[in-house]
Amino acid sequence: MSILISKIETLFLEGSLEAICFATIIYLMRKGTTILPLNKVKGLAKCAVNTSLEKIPDFKRRMKVLEVLTQTEVIYKNIVGLDAVKGLSTEQEATPDHSREEIDRNLRALQSKLEAPIADTDISLYNTLKTNLNSIDRSELIWHDPEANMIIADDSALVKNLGQRQMQVFLKPPLVENL
């Protein structure tokens, strides 16, 4: 679920103001042709709103993000209705097979890299990152997700669940000795 929250946060932090609405959140949370239940969408949206507000300095953007949770039921019913009459066709938005294959290849390569810690102090960190990587629903990843491109960013779903010590090891740059 952290990937879904991350997608919503990205919308809130980087998306155009016009795109910030509850309908877009429902769209981002679709699993293929399935729309998640309203209570799940609302819960994830509320979590993303709360975490995003701490990071948004712009008043107009903050107000737009807060507005997202005000008309949830009506918008949800409209989206479900459109979906029922095939008004939300996903054919043009599907990820091409070659892209899906490349994402899977990148995830396998990242998994392989996490198999070989650089130092003994990295073993716990690498094991946790591997566990977090395995918990990601790979079918939900798109090219915009850092993990799909073998990027482990500070705000990545892989890093958000690290313990305090592991986070310190992750953030500490490795020492490089001159040869």
Side-chain angles (χ1 to χ4, degrees):
M1 291 298 157
S2 61
I3 289 196
L4 294 176
I5 293 171
S6 180
K7 286 181 183 180
I8 301 167
E9 284 182 25
T10 301
L11 168 69
F12 291 163
L13 298 173
E14 301 170 12
S16 70
L17 289 178
E18 295 79 24
I20 299 174
C21 66
F22 195 70
T24 306
I25 291 171
I26 296 168
Y27 175 81
L28 289 173
M29 290 189 195
R30 287 180 64 144
K31 291 186 174 194
T33 59
T34 305
I35 296 176
L36 295 176
L38 176 61
N39 61 348
K40 183 167 266 193
V41 176
K42 281 174 65 173
L44 292 170
K46 187 174 183 177
C47 183
V49 165
N50 291 336
T51 57
S52 297
L53 286 176
E54 300 169 4
K55 303 173 187 174
I56 302 172
D58 177 48
F59 179 77
K60 192 172 184 179
R61 183 171 291 273
R62 287 175 61 85
M63 295 309 296
K64 188 73 172 171
V65 168
L66 281 169
E67 185 181 275
V68 164
L69 299 174
T70 60
Q71 299 174 339
T72 55
E73 286 83 9
V74 171
I75 291 174
Y76 185 83
K77 287 178 185 177
N78 289 337
I79 297 293
V80 169
L82 281 170
D83 188 57
V85 296
K86 307 294 184 224
L88 298 176
S89 175
T90 58
E91 289 178 26
Q92 71 258 15
E93 64 192 60
T95 304
D97 288 341
H98 71 278
S99 294
R100 177 60 45 207
E101 290 169 9
E102 208 163 337
I103 289 171
D104 290 339
R105 188 171 37 253
N106 285 348
L107 292 172
R108 285 191 304 274
L110 181 56
Q111 183 76 30
S112 175
K113 290 177 185 214
L114 292 172
E115 296 290 335
I118 297 169
D120 290 343
T121 56
D122 298 335
I123 293 173
S124 173
L125 171 64
Y126 277 50
N127 286 337
T128 303
L129 289 171
K130 282 190 308 190
T131 300
N132 291 348
L133 180 61
N134 289 332
S135 69
I136 292 174
D137 184 354
R138 295 168 181 237
S139 66
E140 289 183 10
L141 288 178
I142 59 172
W143 274 113
H144 297 291
D145 297 318
E147 297 84 2
N149 290 291
M150 297 191 302
I151 298 170
I152 303 177
D154 292 356
D155 61 348
S156 164
L158 296 178
V159 175
K160 286 184 179 180
N161 297 324
L162 292 178
Q164 186 177 7
R165 285 187 122 179
Q166 293 168 330
M167 185 63 83
Q168 288 173 347
V169 171
F170 176 78
L171 295 174
K172 183 180 82 179
L175 293 175
V176 178
E177 296 180 19
N178 293 335
L179 299 177

